[in-house]
Amino acid sequence: MATRSLFWFRRDLRLQDNPALLAALDAGEDCLALFVMDLDIAERSGPYRRAYLADSLHELDAALGGKLAVSNGRASEVIPDVISRYEITSVHAAQSFAPYGVADEAALAQQGIDIEFTGSGYAVAPGRVRKPDGTNYRVYTPFFRAWMTHGWRAPVAAPKAPKFVTPKASDRSIPDWQSPVGGALQKAGEAAAHTSFESFIKSGLDSYDVNRNIPGIAGTSRLSPHLRWGEIHPRTILSKLNQSSAHEVFRKEIAWREFYADVLHHYPHTDTGYYAPQYEAMRYDEPGAKFIAWKEGKTGYPIVDAAMRQLVVEGWMHNRSRMIVASFLVKDLHVEWQHGASHFMNYLIDNDVASNSHGWQWTAGCGTDASPYYRVFNPVEQGKRFDPDGDYIRKYVPELGHLPGADIHEPWTLLDGLSHGYCERIVDHATERLESLARLEEIKAAKELPPNQRA
DNA sequence: TTTTGAGTTGTTCGA
DNA sequence: GTCGAACAACTCAAA
């Protein structure tokens, strides 16, 4: 009897270092490569996310010799249908740990579809790193140590002479979504991922510890979208790192991604829910005009506005900027973190639920290892410190292009500062910082009330 | 079980 | 301008 396997491409749009793909090719005389496109999700995604995914799928299809099947729908409907139409004898995939993927797996299992899972998008699969007593870590540093001790397998090579099934024309719905006119979308795909990584090794990695915090220079790896879609596997990256301190700082960033995936795995409600539940009771402001100003990059705080505009024109934002704008939304505008997280998810091409939700919760003070409550980012100080010459701001906020150097951080102090179309500050930071601290005092006090008197 | 040390990313204030 | 201390208390991990 003939064997034909199905490989379900999910967040692993690559051929190299893909053990699940090797398992699929081993299991069949030929193999159908399938990506399942949920158009409902795509509909709700921002333009850059869509364009990036389309680009990545085209790259993958080319690498497969034009044999990538793409079918629209939900995995729980598409996969059983494909199994019967192509007479599939075994199904293979990497395991997912994000809420959507986990739901797909459960729905397929319920229908009795047997999937052989091999590996995950992490060096160490979520749930594997445990304390000696078997429970999960809730603090990063001990997690990191245990993760290092746990270790991970070496990368594996791309398949040699794979035999893929030619899909029917009706299963070739590879979208042609384009990025918005004038936007600057990062190149997607496995080849681009390796090009990015190699150029980062050559010119960025050894100074990563110093340069990664300066949004105005290209000091970061730009690997986040590639990791998001699995165009490169983290263990491929880890295998190239040495023991130097710059490399160690970068390794720790990879570990943060793994830590947050582990936390989300153990507390699945924290994708949109509070990790620290007492913060739910805090007084927040409804997102209104100020929230819109934040989204549009019109808060009157140059570093915040530059960052928010970078997000909209590139589908990406520097990590330092993410913290600054997140702090501003939560602590200066008193808007709940979920509104900001959702805006990020729509625009970011590296939109990862675990990293995004927990990054936001860290800033908001309600996450794991959260920032102390009294730590409120000062957008002017952050600008002066991390964009000292204002290069980053001038790149994204042309209204301030006429201001030299450090003058750019406080345009309201200059006589003609507001005469070039730049907006006035929507709030006063010093005032809102105190307001934020006062609201935090309220939930601290509330915690001490007996349960029947709590709000 | 108890104890102890530690904990991504900062700001402000006063000397 | 620079520097160190204060900003709290709590939870977590590990001995």
Side-chain angles (χ1 to χ4, degrees):
Chain A
M1 183 184 158
T3 54
R4 169 173 284 175
S5 60
L6 170 66
F7 183 66
W8 178 20
F9 275 106
R10 308 175 78 190
R11 286 186 173 208
D12 49 357
L13 307 183
R14 67 175 185 281
L15 302 187
Q16 291 179 56
D17 194 11
N18 193 335
L21 176 60
L22 296 184
L25 290 163
D26 270 351
E29 286 154 41
D30 58 4
C31 175
L32 178 70
L34 171 73
F35 183 84
V36 180
M37 175 71 76
D38 186 331
L39 289 176
D40 290 340
I41 294 283
E43 196 67 33
R44 293 201 303 272
S45 302
Y48 292 95
R49 275 180 57 182
R50 278 204 301 271
Y52 189 91
L53 175 57
D55 189 16
S56 191
L57 290 174
H58 281 287
E59 290 293 320
L60 178 64
D61 182 48
L64 293 169
K67 293 187 174 177
L68 178 65
V70 176
S71 292
N72 298 326
R74 192 79 201 224
S76 55
E77 295 153 6
V78 170
I79 286 180
D81 173 56
V82 165
I83 289 174
S84 86
R85 286 194 292 116
Y86 287 86
E87 299 178 345
I88 298 293
T89 54
S90 65
V91 184
H92 305 261
Q95 198 179 346
S96 172
F97 287 89
Y100 182 87
V102 170
D104 276 343
E105 289 168 17
L108 285 159
Q110 204 164 30
Q111 295 179 59
I113 310 275
D114 190 26
I115 299 176
E116 189 184 316
F117 291 107
T118 307
S120 73
Y122 301 94
V124 182
R128 291 274 177 81
V129 177
R130 304 256 180 176
K131 287 183 279 184
D133 70 359
T135 59
N136 61 292
Y137 285 98
R138 286 182 268 196
V139 173
Y140 171 74
T141 303
F143 172 89
F144 175 72
R145 290 192 204 108
W147 177 79
M148 287 292 284
T149 305
H150 184 285
W152 42 84
R153 59 195 287 182
V156 295
K160 295 192 171 51
K163 210 170 160 217
F164 289 106
V165 177
T166 303
K168 301 181 172 97
S170 57
D171 294 316
R172 293 273 296 158
S173 316
I174 307 179
D176 270 316
W177 297 318
Q178 302 291 320
S179 67
V181 175
L185 184 67
Q186 191 173 333
K187 179 74 190 133
E190 182 170 14
H194 284 269
T195 305
S196 291
F197 186 39
E198 277 149 30
S199 107
F200 178 60
I201 289 173
K202 269 200 202 105
S203 59
L205 184 53
D206 290 317
S207 46
Y208 180 74
D209 50 345
V210 182
N211 288 344
R212 73 195 184 99
N213 265 320
I214 312 295
I217 59 181
T220 65
S221 72
R222 300 298 293 249
L223 288 170
S224 59
H226 301 304
L227 283 165
R228 159 66 176 84
W229 282 110
E231 297 162 346
I232 189 167
H233 194 280
R235 88 193 133 224
T236 304
I237 296 170
L238 291 164
S239 71
K240 304 282 185 189
L241 304 183
N242 63 30
Q243 300 306 312
S244 70
S245 66
H247 288 222
E248 182 72 356
V249 172
F250 185 63
R251 186 184 288 112
K252 283 187 168 165
E253 294 303 317
I254 301 289
W256 271 103
R257 177 175 175 274
E258 308 242 335
F259 175 58
Y260 281 151
D262 187 70
V263 173
L264 182 62
H265 169 65
H266 289 286
Y267 308 97
H269 73 283
T270 59
D271 58 347
T272 56
Y274 285 86
Y275 176 82
Q278 65 270 29
Y279 279 77
E280 219 158 332
M282 198 159 91
R283 277 197 298 127
Y284 297 99
D285 290 356
E286 284 303 312
K290 288 174 187 163
F291 178 55
I292 292 170
W294 177 82
K295 288 199 282 191
E296 292 179 344
K298 293 178 180 170
T299 66
Y301 286 90
I303 191 91
V304 173
D305 293 340
M308 295 307 296
R309 296 184 197 187
Q310 178 179 34
L311 176 63
V312 170
V313 295
E314 292 179 10
W316 186 83
M317 193 195 291
H318 189 278
N319 182 54
R320 169 60 50 183
S321 311
R322 295 188 197 197
M323 290 188 281
I324 298 170
V325 303
S327 180
F328 191 81
L329 183 68
V330 175
K331 308 252 167 129
D332 286 73
L333 302 184
H334 319 294
V335 170
E336 285 189 281
W337 65 270
Q338 292 93 331
H339 297 287
S342 165
H343 180 66
F344 270 31
M345 286 299 278
N346 283 340
Y347 276 90
L348 286 172
I349 54 174
D350 62 23
N351 67 319
D352 177 84
V353 184
S355 299
N356 190 54
S357 292
H358 282 279
W360 271 90
Q361 298 211 57
W362 180 87
T363 307
C366 58
T368 49
D369 246 359
S371 153
Y373 81 94
Y374 52 81
R375 184 183 288 158
V376 177
F377 281 52
N378 180 324
V380 175
E381 292 307 315
Q382 287 280 316
K384 288 180 180 169
R385 199 163 138 207
F386 296 110
D387 189 27
D389 302 320
D391 296 339
Y392 179 67
I393 293 170
R394 266 186 297 276
K395 180 168 178 191
Y396 297 102
V397 186
E399 306 99 286
L400 298 175
H402 62 292
L403 295 179
D407 284 351
I408 204 166
H409 298 292
E410 293 172 281
W412 54 86
T413 63
L414 302 172
L415 281 177
D416 77 334
L418 302 176
S419 63
H420 295 257
Y422 187 62
C423 45
E424 291 190 45
R425 286 173 291 171
I426 57 172
V427 292
D428 175 61
H429 171 70
T431 307
E432 301 310 329
R433 171 177 171 271
L434 295 174
E435 171 67 16
S436 181
L437 294 173
R439 294 190 190 197
L440 281 155
E441 283 298 324
E442 291 172 9
I443 57 167
K444 269 199 331 197
K447 225 169 74 171
E448 284 150 23
L449 290 173
N452 60 343
Q453 288 179 36
R454 285 182 206 164

